[in-house]
């Protein structure tokens, strides 16, 4: 190999940094930090806290621009995970992961926990992520996705059973069971109320708190 050719080779870093996400995603996280740690005025300025987007729960990211950046970030995170942590093909997150809602939910949480571990001032959270979060996710991935999508995305195996569950007949049957259970609450015998304790009146020395005169029980 000539020296010129050697100089043209771009070295590949041993490890790559965790993706940061776009500006709106970072703003969402900054607002959540203020909600958790800000003063009363700062928290009030955020508006209703239950409406703040939480990137680990994608349906809460309602603004189109934020939603777009969330998907871009998770795409980068999946690529990063497959490159940095997967050696055996069985642990690879399939390329069709956006078509699997269970994977979307789990990847969003996994990405959020890795982001927070990277911001910590010691390695404890990162150790927890390596020891528990990532292996648990990988185990669930292998158990749920199995080898269905190795050669391309496959049709949801549970689709027909889910369709039966959502049919009018099945829904009506469940509603009848719910209604029957509600009726049981109307027939349960309520316990008799306990007799109210009689008020006890006595003269008290305000200086010492000593009871001077306690009435005899009736």
């Amino acid at each position: 190999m000539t020296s010129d050719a050697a100089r043209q080779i771009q070295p590949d870093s041993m490890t790559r940094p965790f993706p940061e996400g776009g500006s709106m995603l970072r703003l969402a996280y900054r607002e959540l930090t203020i909600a958790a740690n800000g003063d009363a005025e700062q928290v009030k300025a955020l508006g209703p806290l239950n409406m703040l987007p939480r990137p680990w729960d994608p349906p809460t990211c309602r603004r189109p621009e934020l939603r777009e950046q969330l998907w871009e970030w998770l795409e980068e995170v999946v690529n990063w995970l497959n490159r940095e942590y997967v050696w055996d093909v069985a642990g690879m997150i399939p390329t069709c992961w956006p078509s699997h809602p269970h994977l979307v939910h789990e990847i969003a949480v996994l990405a959020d926990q890795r982001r927070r571990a990277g911001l910590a001032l010691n390695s404890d959270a990162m150790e927890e992520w390596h020891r528990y979060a990532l292996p648990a996710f990988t185990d669930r991935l292998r158990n749920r996705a199995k080898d269905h999508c190795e050669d391309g995305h496959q049709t949801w195996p549970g689709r027909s059973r889910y369709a039966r569950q959502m049919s009018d007949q099945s829904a009506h049957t469940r509603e009848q069971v719910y209604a029957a259970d509600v009726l049981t609450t109307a027939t349960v015998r309520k316990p008799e109320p306990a007799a109210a304790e009689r008020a006890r009146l006595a003269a008290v020395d305000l200086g010492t708190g000593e009871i001077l005169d306690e009435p005899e029980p009736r």
Side-chain angles (χ1 to χ4, degrees), residues 11 23 29 35 59 69 90 115 122 148 159 172 177 182 184:
S23 59
Y29 273 118
Q69 288 193 10
R115 184 197 69 86
N122 59 48
H148 289 296
R159 181 182 298 277
H172 179 65
V177 175
V182 171
T184 64

Side-chain angles (χ1 to χ4, degrees), residues 156 158-168 170:
W156 180 20
R159 181 182 298 277
S160 60
R161 181 168 295 185
Y162 179 76
R164 288 196 301 272
Q165 177 187 349
M166 299 305 293
S167 68
D168 292 342
S170 295

Side-chain angles (χ1 to χ4, degrees), residues 148-197:
H148 289 296
C149 298
E150 283 188 359
D151 299 320
H153 179 64
Q154 303 298 316
T155 303
W156 180 20
R159 181 182 298 277
S160 60
R161 181 168 295 185
Y162 179 76
R164 288 196 301 272
Q165 177 187 349
M166 299 305 293
S167 68
D168 292 342
Q169 180 179 353
S170 295
H172 179 65
T173 300
R174 292 194 299 273
E175 288 169 0
Q176 287 181 316
V177 175
Y178 304 151
D181 178 76
V182 171
L183 285 177
T184 64
T185 63
T187 58
V188 171
R189 184 168 185 156
K190 296 183 179 179
E192 293 293 331
E197 293 185 0

Side-chain angles (χ1 to χ4, degrees), residues 66-202:
L66 174 59
R67 192 74 158 246
E68 182 178 6
Q69 288 193 10
L70 174 63
W71 298 140
E72 291 174 353
W73 181 54
L74 294 184
E75 171 75 12
E76 294 175 356
V77 169
V78 167
N79 294 340
W80 180 83
L81 285 168
N82 281 340
R83 194 260 186 192
E84 299 291 305
Y85 285 94
V86 178
W87 176 255
D88 185 359
V89 67
M92 187 79 69
I93 300 174
T95 186
C96 57
W97 66 266
S99 299
H100 296 270
H102 65 282
L103 290 182
V104 175
H105 287 294
E106 292 219 43
I107 290 168
V109 172
L110 189 69
D112 174 71
Q113 292 184 339
R114 175 57 179 80
R115 184 197 69 86
R116 289 192 294 122
L119 295 174
L121 299 180
N122 59 48
S123 63
D124 292 349
M126 192 71 76
E127 164 64 11
E128 291 285 314
W129 189 83
H130 282 127
R131 184 186 294 268
Y132 299 111
L134 182 59
F137 165 77
T138 302
D139 288 344
R140 290 192 298 270
L141 170 67
R142 289 171 176 167
N143 182 54
R144 294 176 183 175
K146 296 184 179 178
D147 58 354
H148 289 296
C149 298
E150 283 188 359
D151 299 320
H153 179 64
Q154 303 298 316
T155 303
W156 180 20
R159 181 182 298 277
S160 60
R161 181 168 295 185
Y162 179 76
R164 288 196 301 272
Q165 177 187 349
M166 299 305 293
S167 68
D168 292 342
Q169 180 179 353
S170 295
H172 179 65
T173 300
R174 292 194 299 273
E175 288 169 0
Q176 287 181 316
V177 175
Y178 304 151
D181 178 76
V182 171
L183 285 177
T184 64
T185 63
T187 58
V188 171
R189 184 168 185 156
K190 296 183 179 179
E192 293 293 331
E197 293 185 0
R198 295 185 178 89
R200 299 176 60 190
L201 302 176

Side-chain angles (χ1 to χ4, degrees), residues 16-69:
R16 295 179 182 177
F18 184 71
E20 293 184 356
S23 59
M24 294 200 66
L25 189 67
R26 296 196 301 272
L27 173 61
Y29 273 118
R30 187 159 58 248
E31 289 180 339
L32 290 168
T33 300
I34 293 173
N37 305 306
D39 58 35
E41 268 189 39
Q42 291 173 322
V43 172
K44 184 178 180 180
L46 294 174
L49 298 186
N50 65 319
M51 296 301 294
L52 289 179
R54 292 157 172 78
W56 59 86
D57 188 9
T60 66
C61 299
R62 301 173 182 87
R63 296 180 59 182
E65 301 89 346
L66 174 59
R67 192 74 158 246
E68 182 178 6
Q69 288 193 10

